[in-house]
mmCIF file of all heavy atoms in Angstrom:
data_model
loop_
_atom_site.group_PDB
_atom_site.id
_atom_site.type_symbol
_atom_site.label_atom_id
_atom_site.label_comp_id
_atom_site.label_asym_id
_atom_site.label_seq_id
_atom_site.Cartn_x
_atom_site.Cartn_y
_atom_site.Cartn_z
ATOM 1 N N LEU A 15 -10.204 8.759 10.853
ATOM 2 C CA LEU A 15 -10.086 10.145 11.277
ATOM 3 C C LEU A 15 -11.354 10.960 11.046
ATOM 4 O O LEU A 15 -11.822 11.663 11.951
ATOM 5 C CB LEU A 15 -8.904 10.817 10.572
ATOM 6 C CG LEU A 15 -7.516 10.243 10.858
ATOM 7 C CD1 LEU A 15 -6.464 11.028 10.092
ATOM 8 C CD2 LEU A 15 -7.213 10.263 12.352
ATOM 9 N N LEU A 36 -1.955 6.685 13.071
ATOM 10 C CA LEU A 36 -1.026 7.169 12.045
ATOM 11 C C LEU A 36 0.230 6.309 12.003
ATOM 12 O O LEU A 36 0.713 5.944 10.924
ATOM 13 C CB LEU A 36 -0.649 8.621 12.318
ATOM 14 C CG LEU A 36 -1.643 9.687 11.868
ATOM 15 C CD1 LEU A 36 -1.414 10.981 12.623
ATOM 16 C CD2 LEU A 36 -1.522 9.921 10.376
ATOM 17 N N ALA A 42 4.112 7.751 10.355
ATOM 18 C CA ALA A 42 4.888 8.578 11.281
ATOM 19 C C ALA A 42 6.222 8.990 10.680
ATOM 20 O O ALA A 42 6.740 10.069 10.957
ATOM 21 C CB ALA A 42 5.111 7.824 12.599
ATOM 22 N N GLY A 72 -8.419 18.230 10.872
ATOM 23 C CA GLY A 72 -7.409 19.273 10.868
ATOM 24 C C GLY A 72 -6.461 19.206 12.046
ATOM 25 O O GLY A 72 -5.248 19.350 11.887
ATOM 26 N N PHE A 76 -2.450 18.775 11.925
ATOM 27 C CA PHE A 76 -1.622 19.849 12.465
ATOM 28 C C PHE A 76 -0.634 19.306 13.496
ATOM 29 O O PHE A 76 0.532 19.697 13.524
ATOM 30 C CB PHE A 76 -2.513 20.926 13.087
ATOM 31 C CG PHE A 76 -1.759 21.995 13.819
ATOM 32 C CD1 PHE A 76 -0.832 22.790 13.161
ATOM 33 C CD2 PHE A 76 -1.974 22.213 15.169
ATOM 34 C CE1 PHE A 76 -0.125 23.781 13.836
ATOM 35 C CE2 PHE A 76 -1.285 23.206 15.856
ATOM 36 C CZ PHE A 76 -0.361 23.991 15.184
ATOM 37 N N TRP A 82 6.566 15.654 11.769
ATOM 38 C CA TRP A 82 7.226 15.519 10.467
ATOM 39 C C TRP A 82 8.277 16.607 10.272
ATOM 40 O O TRP A 82 9.366 16.332 9.765
ATOM 41 C CB TRP A 82 6.193 15.611 9.351
ATOM 42 C CG TRP A 82 5.298 14.420 9.218
ATOM 43 C CD1 TRP A 82 5.529 13.155 9.674
ATOM 44 C CD2 TRP A 82 4.023 14.391 8.580
ATOM 45 N NE1 TRP A 82 4.483 12.335 9.358
ATOM 46 C CE2 TRP A 82 3.548 13.060 8.680
ATOM 47 C CE3 TRP A 82 3.240 15.330 7.925
ATOM 48 C CZ2 TRP A 82 2.316 12.674 8.148
ATOM 49 C CZ3 TRP A 82 2.020 14.951 7.403
ATOM 50 C CH2 TRP A 82 1.565 13.631 7.513
ATOM 51 N N CYS A 85 11.286 15.864 12.491
ATOM 52 C CA CYS A 85 12.048 14.732 11.944
ATOM 53 C C CYS A 85 12.940 15.182 10.793
ATOM 54 O O CYS A 85 14.096 14.749 10.678
ATOM 55 C CB CYS A 85 11.098 13.628 11.479
ATOM 56 S SG CYS A 85 10.287 12.719 12.808
ATOM 57 N N LEU A 87 14.167 18.186 10.328
ATOM 58 C CA LEU A 87 15.264 18.990 10.878
ATOM 59 C C LEU A 87 16.325 18.106 11.532
ATOM 60 O O LEU A 87 17.528 18.353 11.396
ATOM 61 C CB LEU A 87 14.717 19.997 11.882
ATOM 62 C CG LEU A 87 13.833 21.109 11.298
ATOM 63 C CD1 LEU A 87 13.184 21.914 12.404
ATOM 64 C CD2 LEU A 87 14.638 22.013 10.370
ATOM 65 N N GLU A 94 24.935 13.701 14.122
ATOM 66 C CA GLU A 94 24.863 12.374 13.520
ATOM 67 C C GLU A 94 24.534 11.256 14.509
ATOM 68 O O GLU A 94 23.621 10.458 14.261
ATOM 69 C CB GLU A 94 26.174 12.062 12.788
ATOM 70 C CG GLU A 94 26.411 12.918 11.549
ATOM 71 C CD GLU A 94 25.371 12.678 10.466
ATOM 72 O OE1 GLU A 94 24.823 11.553 10.409
ATOM 73 O OE2 GLU A 94 25.102 13.610 9.701
ATOM 74 N N VAL A 111 8.080 13.881 18.343
ATOM 75 C CA VAL A 111 8.898 15.065 18.592
ATOM 76 C C VAL A 111 8.172 16.312 18.105
ATOM 77 O O VAL A 111 7.570 16.321 17.024
ATOM 78 C CB VAL A 111 10.288 14.918 17.929
ATOM 79 C CG1 VAL A 111 10.176 14.690 16.427
ATOM 80 C CG2 VAL A 111 11.171 16.116 18.219
ATOM 81 N N ALA A 153 11.577 17.780 21.676
ATOM 82 C CA ALA A 153 11.287 18.880 20.757
ATOM 83 C C ALA A 153 12.564 19.388 20.111
ATOM 84 O O ALA A 153 13.659 19.284 20.684
ATOM 85 C CB ALA A 153 10.593 20.024 21.493
ATOM 86 N N TYR A 166 19.478 25.814 16.739
ATOM 87 C CA TYR A 166 18.415 24.819 16.838
ATOM 88 C C TYR A 166 18.993 23.592 17.545
ATOM 89 O O TYR A 166 20.035 23.068 17.143
ATOM 90 C CB TYR A 166 17.902 24.421 15.462
ATOM 91 C CG TYR A 166 17.045 25.466 14.781
ATOM 92 C CD1 TYR A 166 17.599 26.644 14.285
ATOM 93 C CD2 TYR A 166 15.678 25.277 14.634
ATOM 94 C CE1 TYR A 166 16.818 27.606 13.663
ATOM 95 C CE2 TYR A 166 14.884 26.225 14.006
ATOM 96 C CZ TYR A 166 15.454 27.384 13.525
ATOM 97 O OH TYR A 166 14.679 28.327 12.908
ATOM 98 N N PRO A 178 -0.882 25.645 31.197
ATOM 99 C CA PRO A 178 -2.035 24.826 30.809
ATOM 100 C C PRO A 178 -2.251 24.975 29.300
ATOM 101 O O PRO A 178 -1.826 25.974 28.700
ATOM 102 C CB PRO A 178 -3.193 25.442 31.598
ATOM 103 C CG PRO A 178 -2.543 26.160 32.736
ATOM 104 C CD PRO A 178 -1.224 26.661 32.202
ATOM 105 N N GLU A 186 -7.801 23.506 19.243
ATOM 106 C CA GLU A 186 -7.594 23.503 20.688
ATOM 107 C C GLU A 186 -7.159 22.129 21.202
ATOM 108 O O GLU A 186 -6.415 22.018 22.173
ATOM 109 C CB GLU A 186 -8.872 23.942 21.399
ATOM 110 C CG GLU A 186 -8.676 24.122 22.891
ATOM 111 C CD GLU A 186 -9.816 24.872 23.537
ATOM 112 O OE1 GLU A 186 -10.858 24.241 23.797
ATOM 113 O OE2 GLU A 186 -9.664 26.087 23.776
ATOM 114 N N THR A 190 -1.609 22.797 22.709
ATOM 115 C CA THR A 190 -0.555 23.782 22.475
ATOM 116 C C THR A 190 -0.334 24.590 23.752
ATOM 117 O O THR A 190 -1.293 25.084 24.352
ATOM 118 C CB THR A 190 -0.941 24.705 21.309
ATOM 119 O OG1 THR A 190 -1.031 23.924 20.110
ATOM 120 C CG2 THR A 190 0.090 25.796 21.108
ATOM 121 N N PRO A 201 23.114 19.516 25.896
ATOM 122 C CA PRO A 201 24.495 19.161 25.523
ATOM 123 C C PRO A 201 24.836 19.645 24.115
ATOM 124 O O PRO A 201 23.978 19.686 23.222
ATOM 125 C CB PRO A 201 24.495 17.632 25.596
ATOM 126 C CG PRO A 201 23.367 17.294 26.510
ATOM 127 C CD PRO A 201 22.325 18.338 26.277
ATOM 128 N N PHE A 207 21.806 22.757 14.121
ATOM 129 C CA PHE A 207 22.481 23.721 13.237
ATOM 130 C C PHE A 207 22.347 25.126 13.802
ATOM 131 O O PHE A 207 21.535 25.386 14.692
ATOM 132 C CB PHE A 207 21.946 23.675 11.802
ATOM 133 C CG PHE A 207 20.451 23.779 11.679
ATOM 134 C CD1 PHE A 207 19.823 25.000 11.556
ATOM 135 C CD2 PHE A 207 19.663 22.631 11.656
ATOM 136 C CE1 PHE A 207 18.455 25.099 11.435
ATOM 137 C CE2 PHE A 207 18.285 22.721 11.541
ATOM 138 C CZ PHE A 207 17.682 23.952 11.426
ATOM 139 N N SER A 227 -0.844 22.658 1.692
ATOM 140 C CA SER A 227 -1.480 21.336 1.800
ATOM 141 C C SER A 227 -2.588 21.358 2.842
ATOM 142 O O SER A 227 -3.633 20.723 2.666
ATOM 143 C CB SER A 227 -0.440 20.279 2.171
ATOM 144 O OG SER A 227 0.512 20.129 1.144
ATOM 145 N N GLU A 241 -21.158 20.180 -1.550
ATOM 146 C CA GLU A 241 -21.752 19.253 -2.522
ATOM 147 C C GLU A 241 -22.806 18.369 -1.860
ATOM 148 O O GLU A 241 -23.878 18.122 -2.429
ATOM 149 C CB GLU A 241 -20.655 18.405 -3.155
ATOM 150 C CG GLU A 241 -19.742 19.198 -4.087
ATOM 151 C CD GLU A 241 -18.508 18.416 -4.530
ATOM 152 O OE1 GLU A 241 -18.136 17.452 -3.824
ATOM 153 O OE2 GLU A 241 -17.910 18.787 -5.561
ATOM 154 N N ALA A 244 -25.834 20.411 -1.177
ATOM 155 C CA ALA A 244 -26.569 20.673 -2.421
ATOM 156 C C ALA A 244 -27.464 19.496 -2.772
ATOM 157 O O ALA A 244 -28.626 19.676 -3.183
ATOM 158 C CB ALA A 244 -25.588 20.945 -3.555
ATOM 159 N N ARG A 248 -31.281 20.300 -2.471
ATOM 160 C CA ARG A 248 -31.772 20.395 -3.862
ATOM 161 C C ARG A 248 -32.015 21.841 -4.285
ATOM 162 O O ARG A 248 -33.037 22.173 -4.898
ATOM 163 C CB ARG A 248 -33.039 19.552 -4.039
ATOM 164 C CG ARG A 248 -32.822 18.083 -3.766
ATOM 165 C CD ARG A 248 -34.044 17.255 -4.039
ATOM 166 N NE ARG A 248 -33.812 15.850 -3.757
ATOM 167 C CZ ARG A 248 -34.703 14.872 -3.956
ATOM 168 N NH1 ARG A 248 -35.902 15.179 -4.448
ATOM 169 N NH2 ARG A 248 -34.407 13.625 -3.656
ATOM 170 N N ASN A 280 4.528 31.816 -6.448
ATOM 171 C CA ASN A 280 4.177 30.894 -5.372
ATOM 172 C C ASN A 280 3.456 31.594 -4.225
ATOM 173 O O ASN A 280 2.546 31.032 -3.613
ATOM 174 C CB ASN A 280 5.428 30.188 -4.856
ATOM 175 C CG ASN A 280 6.002 29.225 -5.880
ATOM 176 O OD1 ASN A 280 5.329 28.854 -6.839
ATOM 177 N ND2 ASN A 280 7.236 28.824 -5.681
ATOM 178 N N HIS A 296 -16.887 29.124 4.327
ATOM 179 C CA HIS A 296 -17.986 30.070 4.546
ATOM 180 C C HIS A 296 -19.212 29.641 3.747
ATOM 181 O O HIS A 296 -20.354 29.733 4.244
ATOM 182 C CB HIS A 296 -17.550 31.480 4.145
ATOM 183 C CG HIS A 296 -18.502 32.547 4.593
ATOM 184 N ND1 HIS A 296 -18.744 33.695 3.872
ATOM 185 C CD2 HIS A 296 -19.284 32.639 5.699
ATOM 186 C CE1 HIS A 296 -19.626 34.443 4.489
ATOM 187 N NE2 HIS A 296 -19.972 33.829 5.608
ATOM 188 N N TYR A 317 -14.723 26.240 9.105
ATOM 189 C CA TYR A 317 -14.595 27.701 9.051
ATOM 190 C C TYR A 317 -13.546 28.177 10.056
ATOM 191 O O TYR A 317 -12.727 29.056 9.756
ATOM 192 C CB TYR A 317 -15.966 28.330 9.346
ATOM 193 C CG TYR A 317 -16.093 29.780 8.952
ATOM 194 C CD1 TYR A 317 -15.429 30.299 7.842
ATOM 195 C CD2 TYR A 317 -16.921 30.641 9.677
ATOM 196 C CE1 TYR A 317 -15.584 31.626 7.467
ATOM 197 C CE2 TYR A 317 -17.080 31.968 9.313
ATOM 198 C CZ TYR A 317 -16.402 32.458 8.209
ATOM 199 O OH TYR A 317 -16.559 33.775 7.835
#
Side-chain angles (χ1 to χ4, degrees):
L15 297 180
L36 279 159
F76 173 60
W82 288 339
C85 288
L87 293 171
E94 292 296 332
V111 58
Y166 287 71
E186 187 166 80
T190 296
F207 51 90
S227 295
E241 290 170 338
R248 299 184 180 183
N280 291 344
H296 192 214
Y317 196 33

